Amino acid sequence: MAVCIAVIAKENYPLYIRSTPTENELKFHYMVHTSLDVVDEKISAMGKALVDQRELYLGLLYPTEDYKVYGYVTNSKVKFVMVVDSSNTALRDNEIRSMFRKLHNSYTDVMCNPFYNPGDRIQSRWALLPVSASSPGGPYFLCPYPVQVGPTSCVRSSPGGPYSCVRSSPGEPYSLCPIQSRAFDNMVTSMMIQVC
Amino acid sequence: GQKMSLSVLESMGFRVGQALGERLPRETLAFREELDVLKFLCKDLWVAVFQKQMDSLRTNHQGTYVLQDNSFPLLLPMASGLQYLEEAPKFLAFTCGLLRGALCTLGIESVVTASVAALPVCKFQVLIPKS
């Protein structure tokens, strides 16, 4: 449904930008870039208005002849920009809001991933890190969800959770496989998959 | 040595604080000023992590805030009074980082220190430099 989705950090550089591969990517990058001005305008307008109601969802930023651009800003000033095909008139405001909510949830999960450094690009890749007791700078495993370690070889902390722990063989030290933001990527794919 | 391990603990707390700062304010709408963010720390963050609210928040309205907890859960089981005063910083380093991390995600650079006069009362001092 969405043609392009971008996550912009609070310093206004892109953390994640993805568009449907059939189209000219540069065009979408440019559209996202220009929409940032509109986002900033809306945020400062909200700041000046003395209303109690401050929304995270910014709504339609600007329409072009082929596309519509929507925006959303989180409490930590991270912006989400979504470009949607104009011909898809069946898409209602509620649906866009729920898509942004799902994006926000996935982004929060990425932040909670202990292997993700805030400010890095959100990438999806596998890496096998040997963890030994003697490595002092080793990744610290701070888990916000309860993790159950059983006799099986692979355990996930929560469905689609940010990381999993693989045991190479009984008695050997654990090897950690950080699934960096694979869940985030999958979420975005599911939102883009039904392009008309 | 001691200093190294305290700063490592603090940086761990910082990372966790950054994640919590993203996850906790989700339902509440955007904060309008610094004081709102501090109030959020005292209420929502403290309740989420320690199941109780901060007991008092004082400020000089110039970037210094003192958060006081009269029965800090990490110090409560240890002792009551002046015993183990030297050991207390080890338990507070992570929490200082937690506060600093949450503030950082919400857009505020700060320096957080903790002090204990008598267990289990402890004070967290948040200094926000004026830019």
Side-chain angles (χ1 to χ4, degrees):
Chain A
M1 298 195 226
V3 177
C4 171
I5 291 181
V7 178
I8 317 282
K10 65 174 178 249
E11 294 90 359
N12 284 338
Y13 64 88
L15 289 173
Y16 183 87
I17 181 160
R18 179 135 158 242
S19 33
T20 51
T22 50
E23 299 278 351
N24 182 8
E25 281 201 44
L26 208 55
K27 178 172 68 168
F28 290 121
H29 285 227
Y30 180 69
M31 275 175 90
V32 169
H33 185 77
T34 51
S35 68
L36 287 180
D37 280 330
V38 188
V39 172
D40 280 335
E41 202 181 287
K42 290 221 173 200
I43 295 178
S44 58
M46 273 204 307
K48 291 196 189 105
L50 294 170
V51 254
D52 280 333
Q53 193 72 349
R54 282 192 68 177
E55 282 253 6
L56 299 178
Y57 175 65
L58 299 174
L60 182 67
L61 297 178
Y62 68 91
T64 65
E65 51 185 34
D66 293 322
Y67 302 104
K68 293 196 215 153
V69 184
Y70 293 89
Y72 180 101
V73 66
T74 68
N75 266 315
S76 50
K77 300 288 172 281
V78 168
K79 300 141 191 127
F80 300 130
V81 176
M82 194 183 305
V83 182
V84 175
D85 210 323
S86 271
S87 55
N88 191 354
T89 48
L91 214 55
R92 286 191 321 228
D93 209 43
N94 280 343
E95 289 167 10
I96 308 265
R97 275 177 202 259
S98 73
M99 279 162 80
F100 272 126
R101 228 190 331 267
K102 281 191 247 174
L103 249 182
H104 194 172
N105 287 344
S106 301
Y107 175 73
T108 315
D109 286 340
V110 168
M111 267 302 263
C112 291
N113 182 347
F115 298 106
Y116 171 75
N117 295 316
D120 285 353
R121 293 193 68 105
I122 302 176
Q123 293 166 330
S124 185
R125 61 168 211 276
W126 283 84
L128 206 55
L129 296 174
V131 170
S132 66
S134 59
S135 66
Y140 293 106
F141 207 102
L142 293 169
C143 180
Y145 318 97
V147 178
Q148 276 168 327
V149 179
T152 55
S153 61
C154 188
V155 166
R156 233 168 265 280
S157 60
S158 67
Y163 44 84
S164 70
C165 191
V166 169
R167 198 176 190 173
S168 33
S169 76
E172 272 190 23
Y174 280 78
S175 316
L176 289 161
C177 308
I179 308 176
Q180 288 241 18
S181 332
R182 186 156 281 220
F184 190 80
D185 247 358
N186 292 345
M187 165 66 58
V188 173
T189 316
S190 70
M191 283 201 260
M192 291 175 58
I193 213 155
Q194 299 126 3
V195 174
C196 300
Chain B
Q2 170 90 326
K3 278 223 159 82
M4 222 352 226
S5 52
L6 287 184
S7 64
V8 167
L9 279 174
E10 209 263 354
S11 53
M12 284 163 78
F14 181 74
R15 182 65 187 93
V16 176
Q18 281 183 313
L20 277 179
E22 190 68 51
R23 196 177 274 284
L24 288 180
R26 280 258 323 283
E27 298 309 313
T28 56
L29 300 170
F31 301 109
R32 245 165 325 145
E33 44 163 39
E34 230 168 59
L35 196 55
D36 286 336
V37 179
L38 265 296
K39 284 191 204 161
F40 158 77
L41 288 185
C42 291
K43 293 188 187 154
D44 302 308
L45 184 80
W46 227 241
V47 166
V49 181
F50 298 116
Q51 285 84 50
K52 69 182 279 286
Q53 287 191 9
M54 187 77 77
D55 290 308
S56 89
L57 169 66
R58 288 197 301 268
T59 175
N60 67 356
H61 293 290
Q62 278 161 21
T64 306
Y65 298 85
V66 178
L67 290 69
Q68 180 165 326
D69 194 331
N70 291 329
S71 51
F72 191 51
L74 294 182
L75 295 178
L76 208 49
M78 283 212 303
S80 222
L82 298 171
Q83 197 185 11
Y84 299 128
L85 206 57
E86 321 83 69
E87 318 291 341
K90 288 186 256 196
F91 294 85
L92 300 172
F94 183 88
T95 320
C96 290
L98 196 72
L99 287 169
R100 193 167 66 90
L103 282 167
C104 174
T105 327
L106 296 169
I108 301 177
E109 290 289 328
S110 60
V111 177
V112 182
T113 49
S115 63
V116 182
L119 277 66
V121 181
C122 71
K123 293 193 192 154
F124 296 95
Q125 189 187 46
V126 178
L127 280 161
I128 301 173
K130 289 287 176 204
S131 53

